[in-house]
Coordinates of all heavy atoms in Angstrom, one line a residue:
R1 N 19.7 2.7 16.2 CA 18.5 2.7 17.1 C 17.4 3.4 16.5 O 16.3 3.0 16.6 CB 18.9 3.1 18.6 CG 17.7 3.1 19.4 CD 18.0 3.5 20.8 NE 16.8 3.6 21.6 CZ 16.7 2.9 22.7 NH1 17.5 2.2 23.3 NH2 15.5 3.2 23.4
R2 N 17.6 4.5 15.9 CA 16.6 5.4 15.3 C 16.0 4.6 14.1 O 14.8 4.7 14.0 CB 17.2 6.7 14.8 CG 17.4 7.7 15.9 CD 17.8 9.0 15.3 NE 18.3 9.8 16.4 CZ 18.9 11.0 16.3 NH1 19.0 11.5 15.1 NH2 19.3 11.7 17.3
E3 N 16.8 4.0 13.3 CA 16.3 3.2 12.2 C 15.4 2.1 12.7 O 14.3 1.9 12.1 CB 17.5 2.6 11.4 CG 18.0 3.6 10.4 CD 19.1 2.8 9.5 OE1 18.8 1.7 9.2 OE2 20.1 3.5 9.2
R4 N 15.7 1.5 13.7 CA 15.0 0.4 14.3 C 13.6 0.9 14.8 O 12.6 0.3 14.6 CB 15.7 -0.4 15.4 CG 15.0 -1.5 16.0 CD 14.8 -2.6 15.1 NE 14.0 -3.7 15.7 CZ 13.0 -4.4 15.1 NH1 12.7 -4.1 13.9 NH2 12.3 -5.2 15.8
L5 N 13.7 2.0 15.5 CA 12.4 2.6 16.0 C 11.5 3.0 14.8 O 10.3 2.9 14.9 CB 12.7 3.8 16.9 CG 13.4 3.3 18.3 CD1 13.7 4.6 19.1 CD2 12.4 2.4 19.1
A6 N 12.1 3.6 13.7 CA 11.3 4.0 12.7 C 10.7 2.8 12.0 O 9.6 2.8 11.5 CB 12.3 4.8 11.7
Q7 N 11.4 1.7 11.9 CA 10.8 0.5 11.3 C 9.7 0.0 12.2 O 8.7 -0.4 11.6 CB 12.0 -0.6 11.3 CG 11.5 -1.9 10.6 CD 11.2 -1.8 9.2 OE1 11.9 -1.1 8.4 NE2 10.1 -2.4 8.8
L8 N 9.9 0.0 13.5 CA 8.8 -0.5 14.4 C 7.5 0.4 14.2 O 6.5 -0.1 14.2 CB 9.3 -0.5 15.8 CG 10.3 -1.6 16.2 CD1 10.8 -1.4 17.6 CD2 9.6 -3.0 16.0
A9 N 7.7 1.7 14.1 CA 6.7 2.7 13.9 C 6.0 2.4 12.6 O 4.7 2.3 12.5 CB 7.1 4.1 14.0
A10 N 6.7 2.2 11.5 CA 6.1 1.8 10.2 C 5.4 0.6 10.3 O 4.2 0.4 9.7 CB 7.2 1.8 9.1
D11 N 5.9 -0.5 11.0 CA 5.2 -1.7 11.1 C 3.8 -1.5 11.9 O 2.9 -2.1 11.5 CB 6.1 -2.7 11.9 CG 7.3 -3.2 11.0 OD1 7.3 -3.0 9.8 OD2 8.2 -3.8 11.7
A12 N 4.0 -0.8 13.0 CA 2.8 -0.5 13.8 C 1.7 0.2 12.9 O 0.5 -0.1 12.9 CB 3.0 0.3 15.0
R13 N 2.0 1.2 12.2 CA 1.1 1.9 11.3 C 0.5 1.0 10.2 O -0.7 1.1 9.9 CB 1.7 3.1 10.6 CG 2.0 4.3 11.5 CD 2.4 5.5 10.7 NE 2.7 6.6 11.5 CZ 3.9 6.9 12.1 NH1 5.0 6.2 11.8 NH2 4.0 7.9 12.8
S14 N 1.3 0.1 9.7 CA 0.9 -0.8 8.7 C -0.1 -1.7 9.3 O -1.2 -2.0 8.6 CB 2.1 -1.6 8.1 OG 1.7 -2.4 7.0
E15 N 0.2 -2.2 10.4 CA -0.8 -3.2 11.0 C -2.1 -2.4 11.4 O -3.2 -3.0 11.2 CB -0.1 -3.8 12.3 CG -1.0 -4.9 12.9 CD -0.3 -5.7 14.0 OE1 0.9 -5.8 14.0 OE2 -1.0 -6.1 14.9
A16 N -2.0 -1.3 11.9 CA -3.1 -0.4 12.3 C -3.9 -0.1 11.0 O -5.2 -0.2 11.1 CB -2.7 0.9 13.0
A17 N -3.3 0.1 9.9 CA -4.0 0.4 8.7 C -4.8 -0.9 8.2 O -6.0 -0.8 7.8 CB -3.1 0.8 7.6
E18 N -4.2 -2.0 8.3 CA -4.9 -3.3 8.0 C -6.2 -3.5 8.9 O -7.2 -3.9 8.4 CB -4.0 -4.5 8.0 CG -3.0 -4.6 6.9 CD -3.6 -4.9 5.6 OE1 -4.8 -5.4 5.5 OE2 -2.9 -4.9 4.6
L19 N -6.0 -3.2 10.2 CA -7.0 -3.4 11.1 C -8.1 -2.4 10.8 O -9.4 -2.7 10.9 CB -6.6 -3.2 12.6 CG -5.7 -4.4 13.1 CD1 -5.0 -3.9 14.4 CD2 -6.5 -5.6 13.2
A20 N -7.8 -1.2 10.5 CA -8.8 -0.1 10.2 C -9.6 -0.6 8.9 O -10.8 -0.5 8.8 CB -8.2 1.2 10.0
F21 N -8.9 -1.1 7.9 CA -9.5 -1.6 6.7 C -10.5 -2.7 7.1 O -11.6 -2.7 6.6 CB -8.5 -2.1 5.7 CG -9.0 -2.6 4.4 CD1 -9.4 -1.7 3.5 CD2 -9.3 -3.9 4.2 CE1 -10.0 -2.1 2.2 CE2 -9.8 -4.4 3.1 CZ -10.1 -3.5 2.0
G22 N -10.0 -3.6 7.8 CA -10.9 -4.7 8.2 C -12.1 -4.3 9.0 O -13.2 -4.9 9.0
A23 N -12.1 -3.1 9.7 CA -13.2 -2.6 10.4 C -14.0 -1.6 9.6 O -14.8 -0.9 10.1 CB -12.7 -1.9 11.7
A24 N -13.7 -1.6 8.3 CA -14.5 -0.6 7.3 C -14.2 0.8 7.7 O -15.0 1.7 7.3 CB -15.9 -1.0 7.2
R25 N -13.1 1.2 8.3 CA -12.7 2.6 8.5 C -11.7 2.9 7.5 O -10.5 3.1 7.8 CB -12.1 2.7 10.0 CG -13.2 2.4 11.1 CD -12.8 2.7 12.4 NE -11.4 2.5 12.8 CZ -10.9 1.6 13.6 NH1 -11.6 0.7 14.1 NH2 -9.6 1.6 13.8
Y26 N -12.2 3.1 6.2 CA -11.3 3.3 5.1 C -10.6 4.5 5.1 O -9.3 4.6 4.6 CB -12.2 3.2 3.9 CG -13.0 1.8 3.8 CD1 -14.3 1.8 3.7 CD2 -12.2 0.7 4.0 CE1 -15.0 0.6 3.7 CE2 -13.0 -0.6 4.0 CZ -14.3 -0.6 3.8 OH -15.1 -1.8 3.8
D27 N -11.1 5.7 5.6 CA -10.4 6.9 5.6 C -9.2 6.8 6.5 O -8.0 7.2 6.2 CB -11.2 8.1 6.1 CG -12.3 8.5 5.0 OD1 -12.0 8.2 3.9 OD2 -13.3 9.2 5.4
E28 N -9.4 6.2 7.7 CA -8.3 6.0 8.6 C -7.2 5.0 8.1 O -6.0 5.2 8.2 CB -8.8 5.4 10.0 CG -7.8 5.1 10.9 CD -8.4 4.6 12.3 OE1 -9.7 4.6 12.4 OE2 -7.6 4.2 13.2
A29 N -7.7 4.0 7.4 CA -6.8 3.0 6.8 C -6.0 3.6 5.8 O -4.7 3.4 5.7 CB -7.5 1.8 6.2
E30 N -6.5 4.5 4.9 CA -5.8 5.2 3.9 C -4.8 6.2 4.5 O -3.7 6.3 3.9 CB -6.8 5.9 2.9 CG -6.1 6.6 1.8 CD -7.2 7.1 0.8 OE1 -8.2 7.6 1.2 OE2 -6.9 7.1 -0.5
K31 N -5.1 6.9 5.5 CA -4.2 7.9 6.1 C -3.1 7.1 6.6 O -1.9 7.6 6.4 CB -5.0 8.6 7.2 CG -4.1 9.6 8.0 CD -4.9 10.3 9.0 CE -4.1 11.2 9.8 NZ -3.3 10.6 10.9
L32 N -3.3 6.0 7.3 CA -2.1 5.3 7.9 C -1.3 4.6 6.8 O 0.0 4.6 6.9 CB -2.7 4.2 8.8 CG -3.3 4.6 10.1 CD1 -4.1 3.6 10.8 CD2 -2.2 5.1 11.0
A33 N -1.9 4.1 5.7 CA -1.1 3.6 4.6 C -0.3 4.7 4.0 O 1.0 4.5 3.6 CB -2.1 2.8 3.6
D34 N -0.8 5.8 3.8 CA -0.1 7.0 3.2 C 1.1 7.4 4.1 O 2.2 7.7 3.6 CB -1.0 8.2 3.1 CG -1.9 8.0 1.9 OD1 -1.8 7.1 1.1 OD2 -2.9 8.8 1.8
E35 N 0.9 7.3 5.4 CA 2.0 7.6 6.4 C 3.1 6.6 6.2 O 4.3 7.0 6.2 CB 1.5 7.6 7.8 CG 0.6 8.8 8.1 CD 0.0 8.8 9.5 OE1 0.3 7.9 10.3 OE2 -0.8 9.7 9.8
V36 N 2.8 5.3 6.1 CA 3.8 4.3 5.9 C 4.5 4.6 4.6 O 5.8 4.5 4.6 CB 3.1 2.9 5.9 CG1 4.1 1.8 5.4 CG2 2.6 2.5 7.2
L37 N 3.8 4.8 3.5 CA 4.4 5.0 2.2 C 5.3 6.3 2.2 O 6.3 6.3 1.4 CB 3.4 5.0 1.1 CG 2.8 3.7 0.8 CD1 1.6 3.8 -0.1 CD2 3.8 2.7 0.3
S38 N 5.0 7.3 3.0 CA 5.8 8.5 3.0 C 7.2 8.2 3.6 O 8.1 8.9 3.3 CB 5.1 9.6 3.8 OG 5.1 9.4 5.2
V39 N 7.2 7.2 4.5 CA 8.5 6.8 5.1 C 9.2 5.7 4.4 O 10.4 5.7 4.3 CB 8.3 6.5 6.6 CG1 9.6 6.0 7.3 CG2 7.6 7.6 7.3
E40 N 8.4 4.7 3.9 CA 8.9 3.5 3.2 C 8.2 3.4 1.9 O 7.2 2.5 1.8 CB 8.7 2.4 4.1 CG 9.6 2.3 5.3 CD 9.5 1.0 6.1 OE1 8.8 0.1 5.7 OE2 10.1 0.9 7.2
P41 N 8.5 4.1 0.9 CA 7.8 4.0 -0.4 C 8.0 2.7 -1.2 O 7.3 2.5 -2.1 CB 8.4 5.2 -1.2 CG 9.7 5.4 -0.6 CD 9.6 5.1 0.9
F42 N 8.8 1.8 -0.6 CA 9.0 0.5 -1.3 C 8.3 -0.6 -0.6 O 8.4 -1.8 -0.9 CB 10.6 0.2 -1.2 CG 11.4 1.4 -1.7 CD1 12.2 2.0 -0.9 CD2 11.2 2.0 -3.0 CE1 13.0 3.1 -1.2 CE2 11.9 3.1 -3.3 CZ 12.8 3.6 -2.5
R43 N 7.4 -0.3 0.4 CA 6.7 -1.3 1.1 C 5.4 -1.7 0.4 O 4.5 -1.0 0.4 CB 6.3 -0.8 2.5 CG 5.7 -1.9 3.4 CD 5.3 -1.4 4.7 NE 6.4 -1.2 5.6 CZ 6.4 -1.6 6.8 NH1 5.5 -2.4 7.3 NH2 7.5 -1.4 7.6
E44 N 5.5 -2.7 -0.4 CA 4.4 -3.2 -1.3 C 3.1 -3.5 -0.5 O 2.0 -3.3 -1.1 CB 4.8 -4.4 -2.1 CG 5.6 -4.0 -3.3 CD 5.8 -5.1 -4.3 OE1 4.8 -5.5 -5.0 OE2 6.8 -5.8 -4.3
T45 N 3.2 -4.0 0.7 CA 2.0 -4.3 1.5 C 1.1 -3.0 1.6 O -0.1 -3.1 1.5 CB 2.3 -4.8 2.8 OG1 3.2 -4.0 3.5 CG2 2.9 -6.2 2.6
A46 N 1.8 -1.9 1.7 CA 1.0 -0.6 1.9 C 0.4 -0.2 0.6 O -0.7 0.3 0.5 CB 1.9 0.5 2.5
W47 N 1.1 -0.4 -0.5 CA 0.7 -0.2 -1.9 C -0.6 -1.0 -2.1 O -1.6 -0.6 -2.6 CB 1.7 -0.3 -2.9 CG 2.7 0.7 -3.0 CD1 4.1 0.5 -2.7 CD2 2.6 2.1 -3.3 NE1 4.7 1.7 -2.8 CE2 3.8 2.6 -3.2 CE3 1.5 2.9 -3.7 CZ2 4.1 4.0 -3.5 CZ3 1.7 4.2 -3.9 CH2 3.0 4.7 -3.9
R48 N -0.5 -2.3 -1.8 CA -1.6 -3.2 -2.0 C -2.8 -2.9 -1.2 O -3.9 -2.9 -1.7 CB -1.2 -4.7 -1.7 CG -0.3 -5.3 -2.8 CD -0.1 -6.8 -2.7 NE 0.6 -7.2 -1.5 CZ 1.8 -7.4 -1.3 NH1 2.6 -7.2 -2.4 NH2 2.4 -7.7 -0.1
L49 N -2.6 -2.4 0.1 CA -3.7 -1.9 0.9 C -4.4 -0.8 0.3 O -5.6 -0.7 0.2 CB -3.3 -1.7 2.3 CG -4.3 -1.1 3.2 CD1 -5.5 -2.1 3.4 CD2 -3.8 -0.8 4.6
T50 N -3.6 0.2 -0.2 CA -4.1 1.4 -0.8 C -4.9 1.0 -2.1 O -6.0 1.6 -2.4 CB -3.0 2.4 -1.2 OG1 -2.2 2.6 0.0 CG2 -3.5 3.6 -1.7
M51 N -4.5 0.0 -2.9 CA -5.3 -0.5 -4.0 C -6.6 -1.1 -3.5 O -7.6 -0.8 -4.2 CB -4.4 -1.5 -4.8 CG -3.2 -0.9 -5.5 SD -2.1 -2.3 -6.1 CE -3.1 -3.1 -7.2
R52 N -6.6 -1.8 -2.5 CA -7.8 -2.5 -1.9 C -8.8 -1.4 -1.4 O -10.0 -1.5 -1.7 CB -7.4 -3.5 -0.9 CG -6.8 -4.6 -1.4 CD -6.2 -5.7 -0.5 NE -6.8 -5.7 0.9 CZ -6.2 -5.7 2.0 NH1 -4.8 -5.7 2.1 NH2 -6.8 -5.8 3.2
I53 N -8.2 -0.3 -0.8 CA -9.1 0.7 -0.3 C -9.8 1.4 -1.5 O -11.0 1.6 -1.5 CB -8.3 1.8 0.5 CG1 -7.8 1.1 1.8 CG2 -9.1 3.0 0.7 CD1 -6.8 1.9 2.6
A54 N -9.0 1.7 -2.6 CA -9.6 2.4 -3.7 C -10.6 1.5 -4.3 O -11.7 2.0 -4.7 CB -8.5 2.7 -4.7
N55 N -10.5 0.2 -4.4 CA -11.4 -0.7 -4.9 C -12.7 -0.8 -4.1 O -13.8 -0.6 -4.7 CB -10.8 -2.2 -4.9 CG -11.8 -3.1 -5.5 OD1 -12.0 -3.2 -6.6 ND2 -12.2 -4.0 -4.6
V56 N -12.6 -0.9 -2.8 CA -13.8 -0.9 -1.9 C -14.6 0.4 -2.0 O -15.8 0.4 -1.9 CB -13.4 -1.3 -0.5 CG1 -12.9 -0.2 0.3 CG2 -14.7 -1.9 0.2
L57 N -13.9 1.5 -2.3 CA -14.6 2.7 -2.5 C -15.1 3.0 -3.9 O -15.7 4.1 -4.2 CB -13.6 3.9 -2.1 CG -13.2 3.9 -0.7 CD1 -12.2 5.0 -0.3 CD2 -14.4 4.0 0.3
G58 N -14.9 2.0 -4.8 CA -15.3 2.1 -6.1 C -14.5 3.0 -7.1 O -15.0 3.4 -8.1
D59 N -13.3 3.2 -6.6 CA -12.4 4.1 -7.4 C -11.5 3.2 -8.3 O -10.3 3.0 -8.0 CB -11.6 4.9 -6.4 CG -10.7 6.0 -7.2 OD1 -10.8 6.0 -8.4 OD2 -9.9 6.6 -6.5
D60 N -12.1 2.8 -9.4 CA -11.3 1.9 -10.3 C -10.0 2.6 -10.8 O -8.9 2.0 -10.9 CB -12.1 1.4 -11.4 CG -13.3 0.5 -11.0 OD1 -13.1 -0.1 -9.9 OD2 -14.3 0.5 -11.7
D61 N -10.2 3.8 -11.1 CA -9.0 4.6 -11.6 C -8.0 4.7 -10.5 O -6.7 4.7 -10.8 CB -9.4 6.1 -12.1 CG -10.2 5.9 -13.4 OD1 -10.1 5.0 -14.1 OD2 -10.9 7.0 -13.6
G62 N -8.4 4.9 -9.3 CA -7.5 4.9 -8.1 C -6.6 3.6 -8.0 O -5.5 3.7 -7.6
V63 N -7.3 2.5 -8.2 CA -6.6 1.3 -8.1 C -5.4 1.3 -9.1 O -4.3 1.0 -8.8 CB -7.6 0.0 -8.5 CG1 -6.7 -1.3 -8.6 CG2 -8.6 -0.1 -7.4
I64 N -5.7 1.6 -10.3 CA -4.6 1.7 -11.4 C -3.6 2.8 -11.1 O -2.4 2.5 -11.2 CB -5.4 1.9 -12.8 CG1 -6.2 0.8 -13.1 CG2 -4.3 2.1 -13.9 CD1 -7.2 0.9 -14.2
R65 N -4.0 3.9 -10.6 CA -3.0 5.0 -10.3 C -2.1 4.5 -9.2 O -0.9 4.7 -9.2 CB -3.9 6.2 -9.8 CG -4.2 7.2 -10.9 CD -4.6 8.6 -10.4 NE -5.5 8.5 -9.3 CZ -6.9 8.4 -9.3 NH1 -7.4 8.3 -10.6 NH2 -7.6 8.4 -8.3
T66 N -2.7 3.8 -8.2 CA -1.9 3.4 -7.2 C -0.9 2.3 -7.5 O 0.3 2.3 -7.2 CB -2.8 2.8 -6.0 OG1 -3.6 3.8 -5.5 CG2 -2.0 2.3 -4.8
Y67 N -1.3 1.4 -8.4 CA -0.4 0.4 -8.9 C 0.8 1.1 -9.7 O 1.9 0.7 -9.6 CB -1.1 -0.6 -9.9 CG -0.2 -1.6 -10.5 CD1 0.2 -2.7 -9.7 CD2 0.4 -1.4 -11.7 CE1 1.1 -3.7 -10.3 CE2 1.3 -2.3 -12.2 CZ 1.6 -3.4 -11.5 OH 2.5 -4.4 -12.0
H68 N 0.5 2.1 -10.6 CA 1.5 2.8 -11.2 C 2.4 3.6 -10.3 O 3.6 3.6 -10.6 CB 0.9 3.7 -12.3 CG 0.2 2.9 -13.5 ND1 0.9 2.0 -14.2 CD2 -1.0 2.9 -13.9 CE1 0.2 1.5 -15.2 NE2 -1.0 2.0 -15.1
A69 N 1.9 4.2 -9.3 CA 2.7 4.8 -8.3 C 3.7 3.7 -7.6 O 4.8 4.1 -7.4 CB 1.9 5.5 -7.3
C70 N 3.2 2.6 -7.4 CA 4.0 1.5 -6.8 C 5.1 1.2 -7.7 O 6.3 1.1 -7.4 CB 3.1 0.3 -6.5 SG 4.0 -1.1 -5.9
E71 N 4.7 1.0 -9.0 CA 5.7 0.7 -10.1 C 6.8 1.8 -10.1 O 8.0 1.4 -10.2 CB 5.1 0.7 -11.5 CG 4.4 -0.6 -11.8 CD 3.9 -0.5 -13.3 OE1 3.4 0.6 -13.8 OE2 4.1 -1.5 -14.0
R72 N 6.4 3.1 -10.1 CA 7.4 4.2 -10.1 C 8.4 4.1 -8.9 O 9.6 4.3 -9.0 CB 6.8 5.5 -10.2 CG 6.2 5.8 -11.6 CD 5.7 7.2 -11.8 NE 4.6 7.6 -10.9 CZ 3.4 7.4 -11.0 NH1 2.9 6.6 -12.1 NH2 2.5 7.7 -10.0
A73 N 7.7 3.8 -7.7 CA 8.5 3.8 -6.5 C 9.6 2.7 -6.6 O 10.7 2.9 -6.2 CB 7.6 3.6 -5.3
L74 N 9.1 1.5 -7.0 CA 10.0 0.4 -7.0 C 11.1 0.5 -8.1 O 12.1 0.0 -8.0 CB 9.2 -0.9 -7.2 CG 8.3 -1.3 -6.0 CD1 7.5 -2.5 -6.3 CD2 9.1 -1.5 -4.8
A75 N 10.8 1.2 -9.2 CA 11.7 1.4 -10.2 C 12.9 2.2 -9.8 O 14.0 2.1 -10.3 CB 11.0 2.1 -11.4
Q76 N 12.7 3.0 -8.7 CA 13.8 3.8 -8.2 C 14.9 3.0 -7.6 O 16.0 3.4 -7.5 CB 13.3 4.8 -7.2 CG 12.3 5.9 -7.7 CD 11.8 6.7 -6.6 OE1 12.3 6.7 -5.5 NE2 10.8 7.6 -6.9
V77 N 14.5 1.7 -7.2 CA 15.5 0.8 -6.6 C 15.7 -0.4 -7.6 O 16.3 -1.3 -7.2 CB 15.1 0.4 -5.3 CG1 15.2 1.4 -4.2 CG2 13.8 -0.3 -5.2
G78 N 15.3 -0.2 -8.9 CA 15.6 -1.1 -9.9 C 14.8 -2.4 -9.8 O 15.3 -3.5 -10.3
T79 N 13.6 -2.3 -9.4 CA 12.8 -3.6 -9.3 C 11.4 -3.3 -9.8 O 11.0 -2.2 -10.2 CB 12.8 -4.2 -7.9 OG1 12.2 -5.5 -7.9 CG2 12.1 -3.3 -6.9
T80 N 10.5 -4.3 -9.8 CA 9.1 -4.1 -10.2 C 8.2 -4.7 -9.2 O 8.7 -5.5 -8.3 CB 8.9 -4.9 -11.6 OG1 9.2 -6.3 -11.4 CG2 9.8 -4.3 -12.7
P81 N 6.9 -4.4 -9.3 CA 6.0 -5.1 -8.3 C 6.1 -6.5 -8.3 O 6.3 -7.2 -9.4 CB 4.6 -4.5 -8.8 CG 5.0 -3.3 -9.5 CD 6.3 -3.5 -10.2
S82 N 5.8 -7.1 -7.2 CA 5.9 -8.6 -7.0 C 4.6 -9.2 -7.8 O 3.6 -8.6 -8.0 CB 5.9 -8.9 -5.5 OG 4.6 -8.6 -5.0
P83 N 4.8 -10.4 -7.9 CA 3.7 -11.2 -8.6 C 2.3 -11.0 -7.8 O 1.3 -10.8 -8.4 CB 4.0 -12.7 -8.6 CG 5.5 -12.6 -8.7 CD 5.9 -11.4 -7.8
S84 N 2.4 -11.0 -6.4 CA 1.2 -10.8 -5.7 C 0.6 -9.4 -5.9 O -0.7 -9.3 -6.0 CB 1.4 -11.0 -4.1 OG 2.4 -10.2 -3.7
T85 N 1.3 -8.4 -6.1 CA 0.8 -7.1 -6.4 C 0.2 -7.0 -7.8 O -0.9 -6.4 -8.0 CB 1.9 -6.0 -6.3 OG1 2.4 -6.0 -4.9 CG2 1.4 -4.7 -6.5
R86 N 0.9 -7.7 -8.8 CA 0.3 -7.7 -10.1 C -1.0 -8.5 -10.2 O -2.0 -8.1 -10.8 CB 1.3 -8.3 -11.1 CG 2.5 -7.4 -11.3 CD 3.4 -7.8 -12.5 NE 4.0 -9.1 -12.3 CZ 5.1 -9.4 -11.7 NH1 5.8 -8.4 -11.2 NH2 5.5 -10.6 -11.6
E87 N -1.0 -9.6 -9.4 CA -2.2 -10.5 -9.3 C -3.4 -9.7 -8.7 O -4.5 -9.8 -9.2 CB -2.0 -11.7 -8.5 CG -1.1 -12.7 -9.3 CD -0.6 -13.8 -8.4 OE1 -1.1 -14.0 -7.3 OE2 0.3 -14.5 -8.9
L88 N -3.1 -8.9 -7.6 CA -4.1 -8.1 -7.0 C -4.7 -7.0 -8.0 O -5.9 -6.9 -8.1 CB -3.6 -7.3 -5.8 CG -4.6 -6.4 -5.1 CD1 -5.8 -7.2 -4.6 CD2 -3.8 -5.6 -4.0
L89 N -3.8 -6.4 -8.8 CA -4.3 -5.5 -9.9 C -5.2 -6.2 -10.8 O -6.3 -5.6 -11.0 CB -3.1 -4.9 -10.6 CG -3.5 -4.0 -11.8 CD1 -4.2 -2.7 -11.3 CD2 -2.3 -3.6 -12.6
E90 N -4.9 -7.3 -11.3 CA -5.8 -8.0 -12.2 C -7.1 -8.5 -11.5 O -8.1 -8.4 -12.2 CB -5.0 -9.2 -12.7 CG -3.8 -9.0 -13.7 CD -4.2 -8.0 -14.8 OE1 -5.3 -8.3 -15.5 OE2 -3.5 -7.0 -15.0
R91 N -7.0 -8.9 -10.3 CA -8.2 -9.3 -9.6 C -9.1 -8.1 -9.4 O -10.4 -8.3 -9.6 CB -7.8 -10.0 -8.2 CG -9.0 -10.8 -7.6 CD -8.5 -11.6 -6.5 NE -7.9 -10.9 -5.4 CZ -6.6 -11.0 -5.1 NH1 -5.9 -11.9 -5.7 NH2 -6.1 -10.3 -4.1
L92 N -8.6 -7.0 -9.0 CA -9.5 -5.8 -8.7 C -10.0 -5.2 -10.1 O -11.0 -4.5 -10.0 CB -8.6 -4.8 -7.9 CG -8.2 -5.2 -6.5 CD1 -7.4 -4.2 -5.9 CD2 -9.4 -5.7 -5.7
R93 N -9.3 -5.4 -11.2 CA -9.8 -4.8 -12.4 C -10.9 -5.6 -13.0 O -11.6 -5.2 -13.9 CB -8.6 -4.8 -13.3 CG -7.6 -3.7 -13.0 CD -6.4 -3.7 -13.9 NE -6.8 -3.1 -15.2 CZ -6.1 -2.9 -16.2 NH1 -4.9 -3.4 -16.1 NH2 -6.4 -2.4 -17.2
R94 N -11.2 -6.8 -12.5 CA -12.3 -7.6 -13.0 C -13.6 -7.2 -12.6 O -13.9 -6.7 -11.6 CB -12.1 -9.0 -12.8 CG -10.9 -9.7 -13.5 CD -10.7 -11.1 -13.2 NE -9.4 -11.5 -13.7 CZ -8.7 -12.5 -13.2 NH1 -9.1 -13.1 -12.2 NH2 -7.6 -12.7 -13.8

């Protein structure tokens, strides 16, 4: 039951982060995404949101740092970022 509640809380934070981003409340969105990643470091949607936040703030290095952090987190479970995460990196770097 605790795991299920933790999952629901992470889902709610993730959704709230997306909503905050959509409302241009980038600090709040980043804080919520960081909270999600502290509990679920393998959740790529939170990594992608963090990349988008860095991009909208003009932090090109932050986009790349975030992608590499995502790579490191996923490597811990023997996988790599999904094609959509790699495509986002390429799109934001242009």
Side-chain angles (χ1 to χ4, degrees):
R1 181 176 168 125
R2 284 184 193 174
E3 276 185 38
R4 180 69 182 135
L5 291 175
Q7 180 69 41
L8 288 172
D11 290 346
R13 280 188 186 95
S14 185
E15 189 172 330
E18 286 288 348
L19 291 170
F21 180 82
R25 295 190 327 251
Y26 305 122
D27 287 340
E28 182 180 346
E30 185 172 34
K31 178 181 179 278
L32 289 163
D34 287 346
E35 289 174 6
V36 170
L37 291 170
S38 72
V39 179
E40 292 187 4
F42 314 117
R43 190 182 281 229
E44 279 191 77
T45 56
W47 288 113
R48 286 192 295 268
L49 176 59
T50 304
M51 290 167 62
R52 290 173 24 227
I53 293 166
N55 179 69
V56 79
L57 296 176
D59 184 4
D60 296 333
D61 291 338
V63 171
I64 296 167
R65 273 193 313 274
T66 300
Y67 178 81
H68 289 303
C70 175
E71 276 185 316
R72 287 189 301 276
L74 294 174
Q76 293 176 12
V77 292
T79 191
T80 60
S82 68
S84 59
T85 302
R86 290 191 301 272
E87 289 168 11
L88 177 63
L89 174 66
E90 292 306 315
R91 194 169 59 245
L92 296 179
R93 289 177 74 185
R94 292 184 190 152

